[in-house]
Amino acid sequence: MEYILYEQKGQYAILTINREKALNALNSQVLDELNETLDNVDLKEVRALIITGAGSKSFVAGADIGEMSTLTKAEGEAFGKKGNDVFRKIETFPIPVIAAVNGFALGGGCELSMSCDIRICSDNAVFGQPEVGLGITPGFGGTQRLARLIGAGMAKQMIYTARNIKAPEAYRIGLVNEVYAAETDAEGNVVKSAGEVLMAAAEKMASTIAKNAPIAVRNCKKAIGEGLDADMDEALVIEEKLFGDCFETEDQKYGMAFFLDKNKEKVKEPFRNC
Ligand code: DAK
């Protein structure tokens, strides 16, 4: 792999888009490698995935404008499909995916973050859909996911104006769940950069998720994802089915028995993912 780093840390893993010289812009090779890396995640072990960008300046500064500039209509559609397929794979990935946004998340970068379950960012993060300024529409799901996440009115404003927004505004409109600043000592010296604080928070969140019953967590992701695409009656049926499925797991039996056991000395064992 030239452009993707992948590190498994026990029950969670970190996937880094590593094309720092081009601010981690997504060319076809990055998309192919991203796709292959996702296919190789050990889902028996890994219970949460973090996606981030290499360096402190950029998460992903968009699709590769150089590569896109000469595309024909057919090639443009093929490129869009490649991106859409891999982003959809992330959106429907069996385990939760956290986007740790460490800088620019523009165009395809903003879209990549939106295909993840949860977005958190450093205080230097910048989000935007600048495509109309380049003569194109957002092509990796931006018109659809942004409207679903922050509402059609705010999404239309961001997309039509092509205006970038900074981390505090992204937080205010609900595009990110949390913003992290650098840690400083009493004299104001930086002890930990914003990127380091962000990654520590992302890893803490991933390991917290990993401690919960994995099949239940996966079923929650499925219920929320599939439910959002359905009307309420259908959505509740989806939830009922996934809720029912949990009762065939050992983790459910153990989790409830542990709660009901009045022995104060007992120590909770890890969920076994079965
Ligand atoms: N593509 C290719 N290279 C990029 C890039 C990008 N999106 N963004 C940055 N780079 C490269 C720069 O060309 C530069 O390369 P060198 O000149 O050093 O070789 C290097 O990264 C550093 O960038 P800058 O020198 O520009 O750094 P600055 O700090 O001055 O500026 C910036 C940072 C993020 C403000 C600026 O680089 C910038 O504006 N970048 C472009 C951001 C952008 O417009 N992103 C959206 C791209 S459009 C579709 C499929 C997909 C899409 C649409 C349709 N279909 C098929 C329908 C998606 C579209 C997009 O994502």
Side-chain angles (χ1 to χ4, degrees):
M1 294 271 163
E2 188 179 354
Y3 294 134
I4 300 290
L5 303 173
Y6 181 77
E7 184 187 7
Q8 186 177 327
K9 288 182 138 181
Q11 292 182 320
Y12 65 89
I14 304 174
L15 185 162
T16 306
I17 298 176
N18 183 33
R19 197 181 170 219
E20 205 176 333
K21 277 189 187 153
L23 303 186
N24 305 318
L26 304 171
N27 62 14
S28 302
Q29 188 180 337
V30 175
L31 291 172
D32 285 337
E33 291 185 12
L34 181 54
N35 192 39
E36 199 184 323
T37 306
L38 291 168
D39 285 344
N40 288 321
V41 172
D42 177 4
L43 290 170
K44 287 205 183 84
E45 279 297 316
V46 176
R47 300 179 180 187
L49 177 66
I50 298 166
I51 297 184
T52 193
S56 56
K57 189 172 169 182
S58 182
F59 173 69
V60 165
D64 190 301
I65 300 173
E67 184 175 315
M68 278 193 300
S69 63
T70 55
L71 296 183
T72 61
K73 180 175 186 299
E75 289 167 342
E77 279 176 15
F79 185 64
K81 178 162 169 35
K82 195 190 277 273
N84 274 330
D85 286 353
V86 68
F87 286 15
R88 186 73 178 137
K89 188 174 278 188
I90 293 167
E91 191 168 45
T92 58
F93 208 54
I95 56 174
V97 184
I98 301 163
V101 178
N102 53 317
F104 293 113
L106 302 177
C110 187
E111 290 167 310
L112 172 61
S113 79
M114 290 190 291
S115 70
C116 299
D117 295 275
I118 294 164
R119 282 152 298 289
I120 56 178
C121 71
S122 52
D123 61 357
N124 68 332
V126 177
F127 294 81
Q129 296 292 160
E131 286 86 348
V132 293
L134 296 165
I136 55 175
T137 62
F140 291 153
T143 56
Q144 304 310 307
R145 292 196 180 96
L146 192 59
R148 282 166 170 77
L149 268 173
I150 63 170
M154 195 59 87
K156 286 175 177 176
Q157 183 177 327
M158 268 183 77
I159 290 172
Y160 300 165
T161 62
R163 187 174 70 84
N164 293 340
I165 60 170
K166 293 186 176 161
E169 190 172 352
Y171 177 72
R172 182 176 62 77
I173 64 175
L175 185 52
V176 291
N177 293 4
E178 207 66 63
V179 180
Y180 296 93
E183 266 175 34
T184 50
D185 63 17
E187 280 83 49
N189 304 310
V190 173
V191 182
K192 263 191 198 160
S193 70
E196 287 171 328
V197 178
L198 168 70
M199 282 314 290
E203 292 191 47
K204 190 169 171 209
M205 191 188 292
S207 58
T208 302
I209 291 170
K211 285 194 185 77
N212 288 321
I215 296 170
V217 172
R218 286 176 182 219
N219 284 6
C220 290
K221 173 163 178 170
K222 223 165 175 250
I224 295 168
E226 292 179 11
L228 281 173
D229 292 334
D231 69 35
M232 185 56 87
D233 290 323
E234 285 170 46
L236 290 172
V237 172
I238 292 168
E239 187 187 74
E240 284 159 16
K241 161 105 187 41
L242 288 159
F243 174 75
D245 287 351
C246 294
F247 289 83
E248 289 186 323
T249 67
E250 285 186 23
D251 285 343
Q252 174 272 328
K253 289 179 191 19
Y254 175 72
M256 291 194 176
F258 183 86
F259 176 80
L260 294 172
D261 186 347
K262 299 297 172 204
N263 173 9
K264 296 271 185 296
E265 306 296 302
K266 68 192 171 176
V267 178
K268 195 166 186 182
E269 290 183 13
F271 285 111
R272 292 170 50 204
N273 197 12
C274 57

